[in-house]
Amino acid sequence: MALQLLTSFLPLLLLLCFTNLTMAAYSILSFGAKPDGWMDSAPALLAAWGKACGDNKPATLVVPKGYFLVSRALFQGPCKNNIRLLIHGTIVGDSAYSAASEWITFKYVEGLSLYSATFDARGQSLWSCKAAKRSCPTGSTALTISQSKNVTLSGVTVKNSENFQIAIMFSQGVRVEGATVTAPVDSPNTDGIHVHMSSLVSITNSTIRTGDDCISLGTGVTNISVQDIRCGPGHGISIGSLGGSPGDTIVQNVTVSSVILTGTQNGLRIKTWANPYDGFVSGIIFRHAIMNNVQNPIIIDQNYCPGNANCPNQSSGIKISGVQFDDVKGSSATAVAVKLDCSRSNPCSGIEFTSINLSYNGNKRRMAESFCRNVEGSSSGLVNPPSCL
């Protein structure tokens, strides 16, 4: 009899145990959000975040299907637990621009996982303002991870940001996987993913089509992995620009591998201003890259000085060393497929080429060329165009 009672209550006992172990779930609909794309859901979204962040056990914040207008949102920690944010619908920005520098921001959070989200910043009105050369604000970054640790962005779509699409700043242990980032080719300053003053960041299996760099790495980045990226249109994958203002610049231990660039302005690039400010770039590996009609497949430019303002006749103080280009192949849209234009006061050193095969996609009678200035290094295996190292 006792065994029969235990057997009959066993499913209920298991359910109670499972319920205690599962995450608490908070839907923004319970806090007044409306999936109509018109009412501002920022207050509801932040109220739900406050509940999830204050829960003593891991929590899930849910945004169901539909269009949710969010004027601006700052999700701030620290939280008492790890939070999983499931966004099945689309978060849309206000079509009118403002002076805000960020739209959706996660700050001081740890252990955040963001899944399946779609963010449409609707930056078209600001782009039009800039195109008309009116007095316009710089624009907002669509999605910012700031001063945070152990953050995962999985399957996230970000599009039409006014300025940078995704920014990772002053953070450690951030993973971006399966992202889709898009903006028109003529949209200004819409870098796909920008990393600044951060370490242990990985960006994998992502597609980026935008009006500026697909991925840009700024100063203070260390231990960065970029892998399996499809880039284009855009300005390519860039380290820099660096040295535009005083202060030590440090970029080290960066690996970029298994990338495909199509119709981009640049391929694999390191760019520094022609300013005397100190810094160094070292321990960089570019490996397994395919170029499809890319204007500058391999480029190091240490004489960046747009408009010849504030830096003519100066020399970059940033030392570039220990850079490997391995297995880079495909086609160049310009005759100079490899350009290494380094600082006259701090020449590049330890530049290594292995298995490079780039052809010129223009005049069939003209071969692809290399250009080197103030650079020391070596090459091995097939290197086409012939190395000038």
Side-chain angles (χ1 to χ4, degrees):
M1 183 67 178
L3 181 60
Q4 290 178 340
L5 287 173
L6 179 61
T7 302
S8 63
F9 281 104
L10 186 59
L12 179 60
L13 292 172
L14 291 174
L15 178 61
L16 291 174
C17 291
F18 180 75
T19 301
N20 289 332
L21 291 174
T22 56
M23 291 183 171
Y26 300 93
S27 170
I28 65 169
L29 295 181
S30 301
F31 295 84
K34 300 293 184 183
D36 56 10
W38 292 98
M39 189 187 81
D40 189 1
S41 294
L45 193 55
L46 294 174
W49 171 265
K51 286 290 187 180
C53 185
D55 204 308
N56 288 317
K57 59 184 178 181
T60 300
L61 195 159
V62 180
V63 177
K65 291 183 178 180
Y67 288 86
F68 295 88
L69 173 66
V70 175
S71 55
R72 185 169 178 264
L74 170 60
F75 301 91
Q76 192 161 322
C79 297
K80 294 182 178 180
N81 56 75
N82 294 337
I83 296 180
R84 181 174 61 177
L85 180 51
L86 299 178
I87 300 181
H88 301 295
T90 299
I91 305 295
V92 298
D94 195 324
S95 58
Y97 56 82
S98 72
S101 61
E102 297 173 358
W103 177 39
I104 305 294
T105 304
F106 293 90
K107 190 174 185 179
Y108 305 131
V109 300
E110 184 170 356
L112 170 70
S113 299
L114 176 59
Y115 294 100
S116 304
T118 297
F119 299 95
D120 184 353
R122 300 202 293 182
Q124 290 88 342
S125 62
L126 182 64
W127 304 338
S128 297
C129 177
K130 290 182 177 180
K133 300 186 183 304
R134 300 196 301 269
S135 177
C136 318
T138 301
S140 297
T141 296
L143 177 61
T144 301
I145 308 298
S146 177
Q147 300 175 70
S148 297
K149 295 181 179 179
N150 303 327
V151 174
T152 297
L153 307 180
S154 181
V156 171
T157 295
V158 179
K159 58 186 179 179
N160 300 324
S161 181
E162 292 179 344
N163 204 336
F164 291 174
Q165 309 279 322
I166 299 174
I168 300 167
M169 306 173 64
F170 303 98
S171 297
Q172 296 80 42
V174 179
R175 293 189 303 156
V176 181
E177 52 192 27
T180 301
V181 182
T182 59
V185 67
D186 58 349
S187 57
N189 304 116
T190 51
D191 290 38
I193 302 175
H194 178 70
V195 185
H196 175 80
M197 297 296 292
S198 297
S199 62
L200 300 172
V201 175
S202 65
I203 304 169
T204 61
N205 188 28
S206 297
T207 299
I208 305 173
R209 301 184 296 271
T210 186
D212 211 295
D213 294 333
C214 289
I215 296 173
S216 58
L217 305 179
T219 187
V221 301
T222 60
N223 300 314
I224 309 296
S225 175
V226 175
Q227 184 174 6
D228 190 15
I229 304 297
R230 295 157 297 280
C231 166
H235 291 184
I237 297 174
S238 294
I239 295 174
S241 56
L242 306 172
S245 58
D248 287 344
T249 292
I250 298 174
V251 176
Q252 60 183 345
N253 299 337
V254 174
T255 299
V256 177
S257 64
S258 301
V259 296
I260 301 174
L261 297 103
T262 302
T264 53
Q265 185 184 83
N266 303 288
L268 309 172
R269 175 172 62 167
I270 302 175
K271 179 175 67 172
T272 74
W273 284 76
N275 284 330
Y277 306 131
D278 293 337
F280 69 87
V281 176
S282 67
I284 312 298
I285 299 173
F286 295 111
R287 177 183 294 144
H288 307 319
I290 297 175
M291 307 287 167
N292 296 317
N293 201 36
V294 171
Q295 291 183 35
N296 301 290
I298 294 175
I299 178 169
I300 297 178
D301 179 11
Q302 290 206 265
N303 294 288
Y304 180 64
C305 187
N308 288 323
N310 303 319
C311 50
N313 303 316
Q314 296 191 45
S315 177
S316 175
I318 295 174
K319 174 66 176 180
I320 298 176
S321 64
V323 181
Q324 301 177 34
F325 294 91
D326 178 18
D327 185 27
V328 180
K329 57 190 177 183
S331 58
S332 172
T334 58
V336 180
V338 175
K339 182 179 181 180
L340 308 178
D341 189 9
C342 296
S343 168
R344 67 176 183 272
S345 59
N346 290 278
C348 298
S349 62
I351 311 301
E352 299 179 15
F353 278 16
T354 305
S355 300
I356 308 297
N357 191 7
L358 295 167
S359 61
Y360 177 37
N361 209 28
N363 189 334
K364 293 183 179 180
R365 296 182 179 180
R366 186 173 178 181
M367 304 294 291
E369 303 171 7
S370 295
F371 171 86
C372 293
R373 180 164 57 183
N374 304 319
V375 57
E376 174 274 327
S378 62
S379 59
S380 61
L382 170 68
V383 175
N384 180 52
S387 174
C388 52
L389 292 174

